[in-house]
Amino acid sequence: GAVVSQHPSWVICKSGTSVKIECRSLDFQATTMFWYRQFPKQSLMLMATSNEGSKATYEQGVEKDKFLINHASLTLSTLTVTSAHPEDSSFYICSARVLLAALETQYFGPGTRLLVL
Amino acid sequence: QKEVEQDPGPLSVPEGAIVSLNCTYSNSAFQYFMWYRQYSRKGPELLMYTYSSGNKEDGRFTAQVDKSSKYISLFIRDSQPSDSATYLCAMSLYSSASKIIFGSGTRLSIRP
């Protein structure tokens, strides 16, 4: 099956610093990856769609200058939270679009828990 | 009004019971309906995927979609403690590979 990994799995940082989260497709190439955010006891909210070699498409209300997305290769997308603040503390999950058995779907990574102090 | 409504639970049932999880939605244009299982501090895992109305069965899991009522269900038969997780309904206009709208998830606990 398709495997998506994320690194780091958790990170604690001081307010004002930037944090980079990596999302990798381990055994397949992904031209499209998605970034989600999940607050405690709430649903996953799509932040942006990342396409290899082009600019990401951000959802309404998501600041593109704060959440920088780079999809420089077919197996790696990165999300950088710039000048992080406590309200950015959340669970960040990526997914990759994959075609398996004629079904096009998304496989999710294990998530990255960010705590901003 | 949220696009997708799901009772957050928690729902606690004894092992072996039949579990019924439900979601309602407001956008009649949704065509693809999914159920994901999410264990604590993990990413969601796709369980079931259906297109349009009808039933789909996979082992102990059955997904039902009633587009006329904008209502979807997931049934788990012979529930096991390992089924304890948060179950998220999700739906999409075009496919499960495009933008997905998730429900808030129902926390399920199966008591041994």
Side-chain angles (χ1 to χ4, degrees):
Chain A
V3 178
V4 177
S5 71
Q6 281 184 243
H7 177 80
S9 55
W10 61 271
V11 57
I12 301 174
C13 69
K14 291 183 180 179
S15 185
T17 60
S18 294
V19 174
K20 180 186 282 188
I21 302 170
E22 293 184 349
C23 177
R24 292 182 186 273
S25 56
L26 295 186
D27 49 1
F28 65 99
Q29 293 182 329
T31 55
T32 302
M33 291 183 173
F34 303 88
W35 286 97
Y36 294 83
R37 181 167 51 183
Q38 186 178 33
F39 291 107
K41 298 188 179 181
Q42 293 187 29
S43 187
L44 281 79
M45 297 296 294
L46 180 64
M47 298 174 66
T49 302
S50 164
N51 292 298
E52 187 268 336
S54 64
K55 289 184 179 180
T57 303
Y58 290 82
E59 294 298 303
Q60 193 173 12
V62 178
E63 300 174 58
K64 60 181 180 182
D65 294 330
K66 180 170 184 63
F67 299 99
L68 300 178
I69 291 172
N70 185 287
H71 193 159
S73 80
L74 288 171
T75 59
L76 174 65
S77 176
T78 60
L79 169 68
T80 301
V81 184
T82 62
S83 186
H85 291 285
E87 58 266 29
D88 298 322
S89 299
S90 187
F91 192 46
Y92 291 86
I93 305 175
C94 72
S95 71
R97 176 181 286 170
V98 61
L99 181 64
L100 285 177
L103 172 66
E104 195 174 44
T105 187
Q106 293 181 39
Y107 270 75
F108 287 81
T112 296
R113 193 162 298 277
L114 170 64
L115 177 61
V116 184
L117 301 176
Chain B
Q1 183 191 8
K2 288 183 183 178
E3 277 193 284
V4 180
E5 298 275 2
Q6 184 175 9
D7 187 337
L11 179 63
S12 180
V13 301
E15 184 176 355
I18 296 175
V19 175
S20 173
L21 304 168
N22 311 292
C23 286
T24 59
Y25 62 95
S26 58
N27 189 346
S28 58
F30 285 134
Q31 297 190 79
Y32 293 84
F33 304 90
M34 295 143 280
W35 285 93
Y36 286 84
R37 179 173 60 196
Q38 186 177 23
Y39 292 110
S40 182
R41 300 176 186 269
K42 300 291 185 184
E45 168 196 9
L46 180 64
L47 270 182
M48 299 286 287
Y49 169 87
T50 53
Y51 170 70
S52 197
S53 283
N55 293 359
K56 186 173 183 179
E57 189 174 318
D58 183 2
R60 296 185 294 113
F61 298 90
T62 300
Q64 285 186 353
V65 175
D66 182 348
K67 290 190 73 178
S68 62
S69 302
K70 299 194 190 73
Y71 188 87
I72 70 170
S73 302
L74 177 71
F75 298 95
I76 307 174
R77 291 183 300 280
D78 187 26
S79 55
Q80 306 294 313
S82 58
D83 294 328
S84 298
T86 296
Y87 289 80
L88 300 150
C89 64
M91 40 205 81
S92 175
L93 293 176
Y94 305 111
S95 77
S96 63
S98 58
K99 181 176 178 178
I100 297 176
I101 307 299
F102 284 89
S104 55
T106 298
R107 209 150 47 106
L108 173 66
S109 175
I110 308 297
R111 307 188 300 270

